[in-house]
Amino acid sequence: MAKPRKKARNPVTRSVATPPKKATPPKKATPPKKATPPARATRRRVGGPRVKAAFRAAAGPEFLVGAAAPLVLDIVTFNTHGAIDKSGAVQQAVGPYLRAQTPSFACFQELFFVGERLALDAQLMGPNIVREVLGDIEIARSNDGTYSTRIATTPTGAFGGAGAGIAIYTSMLVENARFIRFDSLAFPDSLAVKGIVGVDVITEDSSFVLATTHFNDNENDEVDGRARRSNIRAIGNFLASAIGRPVIIVGDFNLDSSAKNGVDAALFKDLDVMGNRVWLEAGLENARQNGLARPVPTLVGGQRSIDFMFASGVAGAMPRLATDTYLARDPFASDHKLVRATLELA
């Protein structure tokens, strides 16, 4: 009798579908936190203490536009009338003022005579001064005074004086001090060699150029402007090394910024576009801010304004004249007033 055949197993095992899990509802979106408003920018006043030397290596030639706050610079320019006055009285008067006020930069013209310059050094830098001559420039350094550094033109045999008689006192970190002589003039100045003294200034987050100058006077260019126009061209050449950085140029320009016509008016138009830059001039800006018809005169007993503070920024960031900081005062025995202003670099 035949045995019944076993049922063949189905080689395919059906899997039972597992029902899908219930979808977890999405968590409620957490609303974003309110943005913390940026801290209000505060102005940084740069004056007495020197910037750490470590920043020298870190700072590049370009100005760091993204600085959190403007750089605030209190600046003085003063022609001491040293061509006439050899008594040292001007230096003795202005020294205590600068020690009390301590502007970031004190710039001088007509420090022609070595004795007067050394007397001013003693007042502003103390007794322990180390001096170094580098070509046309003498650099003095000290840790005991109101200022730590002085840059000036070196003495020459002419007039027993100090060459161009131009000097800068500061406690900020400066590099690349240089003198640009006003040469090749058909009618050179009869008093002394004149020109531009410039330095690169290094701060924690910026680099800019500061210079002081003394132009030829109008008597010695036959009042037709040729020497002073040559001076302006020399400044244009000087500015070629400052591309990408703010520039401040102060001093005695020997032309009247308030002139409405004539040679001085034409020369000032040239100054206002020197180096193909846009410039703010502190005296003119002060007149604009205060509704004055003309800039404050910078000659004692006169109506002419010939001592200027020019400033130019970069990348659309123009310098500012801090409100109510412009001053032209004459308590010192010179034919020029001491000009002082506070400039802000963005």
Side-chain angles (χ1 to χ4, degrees), residues 80-220:
T80 68
H81 203 31
I84 305 299
D85 179 27
K86 302 179 185 179
S87 68
V90 174
Q91 289 79 9
Q92 291 168 10
V94 78
Y97 173 80
L98 293 175
R99 290 202 305 271
Q101 300 295 321
T102 321
S104 312
F105 294 92
C107 301
F108 290 89
Q109 304 85 46
E110 291 201 21
L111 282 177
F112 290 133
F113 303 105
V114 176
E116 278 60 54
R117 193 182 76 245
L118 296 182
L120 191 58
D121 281 356
Q123 288 212 50
L124 298 180
M125 301 185 72
N128 300 314
I129 301 173
V130 177
R131 295 180 175 86
E132 177 185 16
V133 174
L134 300 171
D136 291 325
I137 291 291
E138 181 189 70
I139 301 176
R141 295 183 177 88
S142 170
N143 292 320
D144 302 327
T146 304
Y147 295 107
S148 63
T149 305
R150 188 265 293 146
I151 301 99
T153 47
T154 53
T156 66
F159 309 104
I166 302 173
I168 300 171
Y169 289 82
T170 187
S171 288
M172 295 186 69
L173 180 64
V174 296
E175 297 179 334
N176 192 25
R178 62 265 196 203
F179 174 60
I180 294 85
R181 186 189 301 263
F182 292 152
D183 281 334
S184 303
L185 303 179
F187 297 90
D189 198 299
S190 60
L191 285 174
V193 174
K194 291 184 177 178
I196 312 159
V197 170
V199 292
D200 297 336
V201 186
I202 310 299
T203 74
E204 295 181 18
D205 51 14
S206 65
S207 169
F208 64 94
V209 175
L210 181 127
T212 183
T213 187
H214 192 184
F215 271 26
N216 292 85
D217 61 28
N218 55 5
E219 291 84 1
N220 291 304

Side-chain angles (χ1 to χ4, degrees), residues 261-334:
N261 48 52
V263 174
D264 279 14
L267 289 170
F268 194 85
K269 286 183 179 179
D270 291 341
L271 277 176
D272 206 30
V273 294
M274 56 186 170
N276 295 317
R277 299 176 74 116
V278 179
W279 296 93
L280 176 143
E281 199 286 298
L284 286 174
E285 176 62 14
N286 177 69
R288 188 195 67 78
Q289 287 182 4
N290 292 284
L292 304 178
R294 62 187 306 281
V296 175
T298 66
L299 290 180
V300 175
Q303 293 301 309
R304 300 174 70 212
S305 179
I306 70 174
D307 301 272
F308 306 146
M309 286 191 186
F310 281 102
S312 177
V314 294
M318 277 294 292
R320 291 184 61 255
L321 170 67
T323 306
D324 296 330
T325 64
Y326 185 86
L327 177 69
R329 54 174 294 165
D330 57 338
F332 313 117
S334 174

Side-chain angles (χ1 to χ4, degrees), residues 31-47:
K33 293 183 179 179
K34 291 184 179 179
T36 305
R40 181 178 297 176
T42 56
R43 298 195 306 175
R44 295 178 288 121
R45 181 170 297 278
V46 181

